[in-house]
Coordinates of all heavy atoms in Angstrom, one line a residue:
L202 N 66.7 -12.3 2.5 CA 66.8 -13.7 2.3 C 66.5 -14.1 0.9 O 65.7 -13.5 0.2 CB 65.7 -14.4 3.2 CG 65.8 -14.2 4.7 CD1 64.5 -14.8 5.3 CD2 67.0 -15.0 5.3
T203 N 67.2 -15.2 0.5 CA 66.7 -15.9 -0.8 C 65.5 -16.8 -0.4 O 65.3 -17.0 0.8 CB 67.9 -16.8 -1.3 OG1 68.1 -17.9 -0.4 CG2 69.2 -16.0 -1.5
A204 N 64.8 -17.2 -1.4 CA 63.7 -18.1 -1.2 C 64.2 -19.4 -0.4 O 63.5 -19.9 0.5 CB 63.0 -18.5 -2.5
A205 N 65.3 -19.9 -0.8 CA 65.8 -21.1 -0.2 C 66.1 -20.9 1.3 O 65.8 -21.7 2.2 CB 67.1 -21.6 -0.9
E206 N 66.7 -19.7 1.6 CA 66.9 -19.4 3.0 C 65.6 -19.2 3.7 O 65.5 -19.5 4.9 CB 67.8 -18.1 3.0 CG 69.2 -18.3 2.6 CD 70.0 -17.0 2.5 OE1 69.4 -15.9 2.2 OE2 71.2 -17.1 2.6
A207 N 64.7 -18.6 3.1 CA 63.4 -18.3 3.7 C 62.7 -19.7 4.1 O 62.1 -19.8 5.2 CB 62.4 -17.5 2.8
I208 N 62.7 -20.6 3.2 CA 62.2 -21.9 3.4 C 62.9 -22.6 4.5 O 62.3 -23.2 5.4 CB 62.2 -22.8 2.1 CG1 61.2 -22.1 1.1 CG2 61.8 -24.2 2.4 CD1 61.4 -22.7 -0.3
D209 N 64.2 -22.5 4.5 CA 65.0 -23.1 5.6 C 64.7 -22.5 7.0 O 64.5 -23.2 8.0 CB 66.5 -22.9 5.4 CG 67.1 -23.9 4.5 OD1 66.4 -24.9 4.2 OD2 68.3 -23.7 4.1
L210 N 64.5 -21.2 7.0 CA 64.2 -20.5 8.2 C 62.8 -21.0 8.8 O 62.7 -21.4 9.9 CB 64.2 -19.0 8.0 CG 64.0 -18.1 9.3 CD1 64.6 -16.7 9.0 CD2 62.6 -18.0 9.8
A211 N 61.9 -21.1 7.9 CA 60.5 -21.5 8.3 C 60.5 -23.0 8.8 O 59.9 -23.3 9.7 CB 59.6 -21.4 7.1
R212 N 61.3 -23.8 8.1 CA 61.4 -25.2 8.5 C 62.1 -25.3 9.8 O 61.6 -26.0 10.7 CB 62.2 -26.0 7.4 CG 62.1 -27.5 7.6 CD 63.0 -28.3 6.7 NE 62.5 -28.4 5.4 CZ 63.1 -27.8 4.3 NH1 64.2 -27.2 4.4 NH2 62.6 -28.0 3.1
S213 N 63.2 -24.5 10.0 CA 63.9 -24.6 11.3 C 63.0 -24.1 12.5 O 63.2 -24.6 13.6 CB 65.2 -23.7 11.2 OG 66.0 -24.2 10.3
A214 N 62.1 -23.2 12.2 CA 61.2 -22.6 13.2 C 60.0 -23.6 13.5 O 59.2 -23.3 14.4 CB 60.7 -21.3 12.8
D215 N 59.9 -24.6 12.7 CA 58.9 -25.6 12.9 C 57.5 -25.0 12.9 O 56.7 -25.2 13.8 CB 59.1 -26.3 14.2 CG 58.5 -27.7 14.3 OD1 58.1 -28.2 13.2 OD2 58.3 -28.2 15.4
V216 N 57.2 -24.1 12.0 CA 55.9 -23.4 11.9 C 54.9 -24.3 11.2 O 55.3 -25.3 10.5 CB 56.0 -22.1 11.1 CG1 57.0 -21.1 11.8 CG2 56.4 -22.3 9.6
R217 N 53.6 -24.1 11.5 CA 52.6 -24.9 10.9 C 52.3 -24.6 9.4 O 51.9 -25.4 8.7 CB 51.3 -24.8 11.8 CG 51.6 -25.5 13.1 CD 50.4 -25.6 14.0 NE 50.7 -26.5 15.1 CZ 51.3 -26.1 16.2 NH1 51.7 -24.9 16.4 NH2 51.5 -27.0 17.2
A218 N 52.4 -23.3 9.1 CA 52.2 -22.9 7.7 C 53.1 -21.6 7.5 O 53.4 -20.9 8.4 CB 50.8 -22.6 7.5
A219 N 53.5 -21.4 6.3 CA 54.3 -20.2 5.9 C 53.9 -19.8 4.5 O 53.5 -20.5 3.7 CB 55.8 -20.6 6.0
R220 N 54.1 -18.5 4.3 CA 53.9 -17.8 3.0 C 55.1 -16.9 2.8 O 55.5 -16.2 3.6 CB 52.6 -17.0 3.0 CG 51.3 -17.9 3.1 CD 51.1 -18.7 1.8 NE 50.0 -19.6 1.9 CZ 50.0 -20.9 2.3 NH1 51.1 -21.4 2.8 NH2 48.9 -21.6 2.3
L221 N 55.7 -17.1 1.6 CA 56.7 -16.2 1.2 C 56.2 -14.9 0.8 O 55.2 -14.8 0.0 CB 57.5 -16.8 0.0 CG 58.2 -18.2 0.2 CD1 59.0 -18.5 -1.0 CD2 59.1 -18.2 1.5
V222 N 56.7 -13.8 1.3 CA 56.3 -12.4 0.9 C 57.5 -11.6 0.5 O 58.7 -12.1 0.5 CB 55.6 -11.8 2.1 CG1 54.3 -12.6 2.5 CG2 56.5 -11.6 3.3
H223 N 57.3 -10.4 0.1 CA 58.4 -9.4 -0.2 C 59.3 -10.0 -1.3 O 60.5 -10.0 -1.2 CB 59.1 -9.1 1.1 CG 59.9 -7.9 1.0 ND1 61.2 -7.8 0.5 CD2 59.7 -6.6 1.5 CE1 61.6 -6.5 0.6 NE2 60.7 -5.8 1.3
Y224 N 58.7 -10.6 -2.3 CA 59.5 -11.2 -3.4 C 59.1 -10.5 -4.7 O 58.0 -10.0 -4.9 CB 59.2 -12.7 -3.5 CG 57.8 -13.1 -3.9 CD1 57.4 -13.2 -5.2 CD2 56.8 -13.4 -2.9 CE1 56.1 -13.5 -5.6 CE2 55.5 -13.7 -3.2 CZ 55.2 -13.8 -4.6 OH 53.9 -14.2 -4.9
P225 N 60.0 -10.5 -5.7 CA 59.7 -9.8 -7.0 C 58.6 -10.7 -7.7 O 58.8 -11.9 -7.9 CB 61.1 -10.0 -7.8 CG 62.1 -10.2 -6.7 CD 61.4 -10.9 -5.6
P226 N 57.5 -10.0 -8.0 CA 56.3 -10.8 -8.5 C 56.6 -11.6 -9.7 O 56.1 -12.7 -9.9 CB 55.3 -9.7 -8.8 CG 55.6 -8.6 -7.8 CD 57.1 -8.6 -7.8
D227 N 57.6 -11.2 -10.6 CA 57.9 -11.9 -11.8 C 58.5 -13.3 -11.4 O 58.6 -14.1 -12.3 CB 58.9 -11.1 -12.6 CG 58.2 -9.9 -13.2 OD1 57.0 -9.9 -13.3 OD2 58.9 -9.0 -13.7
R228 N 58.9 -13.5 -10.2 CA 59.6 -14.8 -9.9 C 58.7 -15.7 -9.2 O 59.1 -16.7 -8.6 CB 60.8 -14.5 -9.0 CG 61.9 -13.7 -9.7 CD 63.2 -13.6 -8.8 NE 63.6 -14.9 -8.4 CZ 64.1 -15.1 -7.2 NH1 64.2 -14.2 -6.3 NH2 64.5 -16.3 -6.9

Side-chain angles (χ1 to χ4, degrees):
L202 296 168
T203 66
E206 289 171 334
I208 293 167
D209 275 353
L210 188 157
R212 190 187 286 116
S213 298
D215 202 19
V216 300
R217 292 189 168 81
R220 293 293 178 267
L221 302 184
V222 299
H223 203 278
Y224 64 86
D227 291 342
R228 294 187 55 219

